[in-house]
Amino acid sequence: MRGFLRKDGRKGIRNVVVVTYLVECAHHVAARIAQHFQDEDVHLIGFSGCAPNDYAELMMRQLCTHPNVGAVLLVSLGCENFQRHRLLHDIQESGRPASLIVIQEEGGTQASIQKGISEVSRMQQAIVDVPTVDMQWSDLVIGTVCGGSDGYSGITANPSVGCTFDYLVDQGATCIFEEPGELIGCEQLLQERAITPEIGVQLYNCIVKADKYYKQMGHDSFSAGNATGGLTTIEEKSLGSYCKSGSRPIQGLTYPGLVPNTPGLWMMDVVPDGEARWGFPNINDNAEIMEMIACGCHLVLYTTGRGSVAGSAISPVVKVCSNPITYQHMTEDMDINAGAIVTEGLTFEEVRNQLLRCIEQTASGNPTKSEQLGHREYSLVYKSFQKTCI
């Protein structure tokens, strides 16, 4: 595996230019700039809110300085609350080419789009010669999420990812699993795997917080599609989701935008602190993928039974399909057929080996199915966390 060496010593598996809008009013201009380069590694992300939010600013800073990002164009309307000059400074300090377009100062839509296209073209040339270096498993940060789960998820795809995580952790990689709302009922299992009693209490309380939060919101992560796919209760879904974490000790609890400070297995808390509040979301797979990427994930393993097609900006998504029928029906979207455990008698280890080959190829530059299809979904929302460091 070869990676792009960044100023902070981290290595990226992609070298994308990110076009970032800082308020919904700038979305159209930023999108038109990115669309000019739609067949190239130019990705669009953004934050739609105008009111300030510390979580969103941290997320944006971490995404724009992610090891997979080579350069950044910021697109501002000009009157939003986002601290655009501070963000620009942080990106430039990271050693990346970065520039800012303020629509109100440029003279409007067309002038801003033309300048943005020129700036992106300049940045593409500037990052052509970013040095590449060898990468080991220990250089990688890998996340996992699940979406569109079904009755097969807990017996094929999720345990296969857990088996993959065990191998990667043993090789010195950093692995992150998430979604406390899909681990309700597993709090004691998580607590028992913590490396210290204090971390065990944090993991337990994280699930308690999620249960309370989703009750306030009015529903949890159990969807109609989950039931159609054969799941019966949130506890059944939780046990299947839990399998993605494997069996290794849990180093700690991390939060969106906070990069784990040691290798090993980590859990990410995505549920906002405090009471349910305005503008704060319920379950959103794409937001959680972006939160994992903001934690440094080079790529994300996405398990699905019903057949989610979502990918992401910045970091590749590897689709691990739990259901063999879904895999045959949606082959162009799926990378790994974990349902072969049922139809062909494969073991978790055999599917793990397929996953490891796929990860290695993806980290070496080969596109995933979602990348080939042009999936670059993103979602940044309002949230609030008390935790600011690990």
Side-chain angles (χ1 to χ4, degrees):
M1 295 182 289
R2 299 285 292 179
F4 297 93
L5 182 63
R6 306 302 179 192
K7 181 180 177 181
D8 62 4
R10 293 191 294 172
K11 304 168 186 177
I13 64 172
R14 297 291 185 268
N15 195 31
V16 304
V17 176
V18 168
V19 179
T20 306
Y21 60 89
L22 304 181
V23 66
E24 186 62 24
C25 306
H27 189 160
H28 174 74
V29 168
R32 289 292 299 272
I33 294 168
Q35 286 165 7
H36 184 83
F37 304 92
Q38 62 182 354
D39 295 324
E40 303 171 51
D41 282 333
V42 177
H43 295 193
L44 176 71
I45 66 171
F47 176 59
S48 62
C50 188
N53 183 247
D54 290 341
Y55 156 86
E57 295 210 10
L58 170 64
M59 284 283 292
M60 195 68 79
R61 182 170 68 251
Q62 295 296 74
L63 291 170
C64 289
T65 59
H66 188 279
N68 287 354
V69 173
V72 181
L73 173 66
L74 302 178
V75 183
S76 162
L77 176 62
C79 54
E80 70 276 359
N81 282 285
F82 207 104
Q83 298 296 316
R84 56 184 179 270
H85 292 292
R86 182 169 64 190
L87 178 59
L88 178 65
H89 174 267
D90 290 343
I91 298 168
Q92 291 173 337
E93 281 291 298
S94 76
R96 291 165 173 80
S99 63
L100 169 66
I101 290 176
V102 180
I103 298 170
Q104 292 169 347
E105 296 176 3
E106 293 297 330
T109 297
Q110 290 299 333
S112 299
I113 292 172
Q114 291 305 312
K115 182 172 181 179
I117 291 171
S118 176
E119 286 294 301
V120 170
S121 297
R122 180 183 63 79
M123 290 178 185
Q124 287 178 311
Q125 294 300 314
I127 64 175
V128 166
D129 296 324
V130 172
T132 60
V133 293
D134 288 333
M135 288 187 71
Q136 311 299 324
W137 292 118
S138 57
D139 293 313
L140 290 176
V141 182
I142 298 178
T144 186
V145 301
C146 51
S149 300
D150 71 348
Y152 284 96
S153 295
I155 59 175
T156 61
N158 291 352
S160 297
V161 169
C163 189
T164 304
F165 265 24
D166 285 350
Y167 178 88
L168 291 169
V169 167
D170 291 346
Q171 301 304 309
T174 302
C175 295
I176 306 174
F177 67 102
E178 51 74 60
E179 192 35 72
E182 293 181 359
L183 291 168
I184 293 170
C186 300
E187 49 266 38
Q188 187 171 348
L189 297 174
L190 294 166
Q191 183 176 19
E192 291 170 353
R193 289 171 58 193
I195 60 171
T196 68
E198 293 77 14
I199 291 173
V201 171
Q202 292 175 12
L203 294 169
Y204 188 96
N205 290 339
C206 175
I207 308 304
V208 172
K209 179 183 75 168
D211 189 27
K212 177 182 177 182
Y213 186 85
Y214 290 122
K215 284 176 180 175
Q216 290 178 327
M217 295 292 285
H219 62 87
D220 53 30
S221 68
F222 196 89
S223 70
N226 294 151
T228 304
L231 291 172
T232 60
T233 63
I234 185 60
E235 288 80 9
E236 183 182 9
K237 185 179 182 182
S238 293
L239 286 169
S241 178
Y242 174 79
C243 292
K244 300 199 309 300
S245 67
S247 63
R248 297 300 183 259
I250 301 172
Q251 300 295 312
L253 196 62
T254 189
Y255 299 83
L258 299 182
V259 179
N261 54 15
T262 61
L265 180 67
W266 291 77
M267 178 177 166
M268 184 175 72
D269 183 3
V270 301
V271 178
D273 290 335
E275 302 298 314
R277 297 166 56 189
W278 70 272
F280 285 16
N282 210 321
I283 298 300
N284 183 332
D285 291 333
N286 288 112
E288 290 164 13
I289 290 174
M290 296 310 292
E291 288 170 334
M292 287 205 145
I293 295 171
C295 287
C297 287
H298 292 90
L299 58 86
V300 176
L301 307 180
Y302 193 143
T303 67
T304 183
R306 300 286 292 165
S308 175
V309 300
S312 78
I314 298 177
S315 294
V317 170
V318 173
K319 293 290 177 47
V320 187
C321 189
S322 66
N323 190 314
I325 297 174
T326 301
Y327 180 83
Q328 293 300 325
H329 187 57
M330 301 180 67
T331 301
E332 69 172 12
D333 286 279
M334 303 296 148
D335 296 281
I336 300 292
N337 179 19
I341 290 171
V342 175
T343 56
E344 300 175 26
L346 296 188
T347 64
F348 297 140
E349 289 74 17
E350 288 172 318
V351 177
R352 174 202 67 188
N353 291 340
Q354 291 181 21
L355 263 168
L356 290 172
R357 285 195 296 273
C358 183
I359 292 169
E360 187 171 16
Q361 290 168 357
T362 301
S364 299
N366 291 358
T368 64
K369 292 290 186 68
S370 65
E371 286 183 295
Q372 291 174 22
L373 292 167
H375 281 285
R376 294 174 181 174
E377 287 82 358
Y378 59 90
S379 179
L380 296 179
V381 295
Y382 282 104
K383 283 188 180 181
S384 178
F385 293 92
Q386 295 174 0
K387 191 79 172 182
T388 58
C389 62
I390 297 175

